[in-house]
Amino acid sequence: MTSTDRLLGLIQDTPGIADLLRSSFEFDITRKEPGEAVLLASGVSLEGIAGDWSGGTFFLCRDDGGRRPVVFASSEGQAGLIADDLTAALEIIIGVAWRDCLTFSGGGSVQAMQASAAHRENALANVGPEIAEHRARVAAALSLCLAPVTELVARLQEAVSRTEPNYVVVTESGDAYESLFGTFLAPRGGGWL
C-alpha cells in the first residue's frame, strides 16, 4: 500500500474527516468524476480523487518515483500542479485559502499571493473562527503538518510555477487549460467576505 492509498483510506475510514474536508475545505472524496474528460498534455491519464464545490477536480498523476503529484482542474478552465504528493496538497488545502491566493496572485507573484493569504486569513478569523479547530482536527487525524501560511503559500506558488511542461492539463481534443495563476490582486480595505 502506498502512502497515497493509506492517506485516502484514512480520509474515508476516520469518522467525520471526509465530512470535515468536504464542508470546511472543499475536498469531497465522493465526487471524483471531472466535468469533462482530461489528461496531461503528455498523454498520461489522470485519476480523480476529489471534487470542490464549484465542479473542480483534484487528480493524482502517475507514480513519479514513489510520489503521485496532485493536479487541480477548475470547472472554469484553469488547471495546474498544486503539490508533489497528496500529503503536501492536503497541507495546503487545509492550511490556507489556496484558491483565493491563486485567483488574486497578480499573475503568479508570491508577494501578491502572500497579501491575499493575509487578507483571507483575517476574514476567516472574523467570520469562521472554527476553521482553526477544523484544521487541527484534520491534521491530527491524517498526520499532516500545520505549517505557517507564508510557507504554504510559497510551496503552492512554487508548485504551480512548475506546471509547464509536465503537468499541463488538456481536454480529449487537445485544448489546454489556462494557468491557475489569476491576474487579480487582493482587494484593498478589507474587501473579503
Side-chain angles (χ1 to χ4, degrees):
M1 176 181 280
T2 68
S3 61
T4 299
D5 293 333
R6 184 189 63 75
L7 191 51
L8 288 170
L10 274 174
I11 292 169
Q12 186 170 351
D13 298 337
T14 306
I17 295 304
D19 289 338
L20 201 52
L21 280 168
R22 177 188 44 74
S23 64
S24 294
F25 304 107
E26 295 191 50
F27 188 86
D28 184 355
I29 64 168
T30 66
R31 204 192 65 68
K32 300 175 184 182
E33 296 301 318
E36 67 178 328
V38 296
L39 62 155
L40 293 180
S42 64
V44 173
S45 63
L46 296 168
E47 176 189 349
I49 57 166
D52 74 356
W53 296 343
S54 64
T57 307
F58 297 90
F59 295 97
L60 291 175
C61 300
R62 67 172 164 67
D63 191 281
D64 188 18
R67 293 183 139 185
R68 298 203 59 199
V70 178
V71 169
F72 177 78
S74 76
S75 60
E76 294 84 31
Q78 297 87 27
L81 179 70
I82 62 168
D84 289 329
D85 60 31
L86 184 56
T87 298
L90 286 169
E91 288 174 354
I92 289 168
I93 291 164
I94 70 165
V96 67
W98 67 279
R99 292 288 308 268
D100 289 332
C101 289
L102 291 171
T103 298
F104 298 98
S105 71
S109 161
V110 72
Q111 292 85 2
M113 291 174 70
Q114 295 288 3
S116 296
H119 284 294
R120 192 66 178 132
E121 288 299 308
N122 287 337
L124 283 174
N126 291 329
V127 299
E130 69 281 350
I131 197 71
E133 176 189 327
H134 295 180
R135 286 173 172 163
R137 187 169 162 211
V138 171
L142 302 180
S143 299
L144 303 174
C145 294
L146 286 175
V149 169
T150 55
E151 178 184 326
L152 295 172
V153 170
R155 287 170 33 191
L156 177 63
Q157 193 272 347
E158 189 272 333
V160 175
S161 294
R162 289 187 294 113
T163 295
E164 291 186 26
N166 297 327
Y167 301 101
V168 174
V169 174
V170 298
T171 64
E172 285 185 319
S173 62
D175 296 325
Y177 276 52
E178 296 177 7
S179 173
L180 286 172
F181 290 131
T183 57
F184 302 107
L185 296 174
R188 296 188 185 269
W192 296 105
L193 295 175

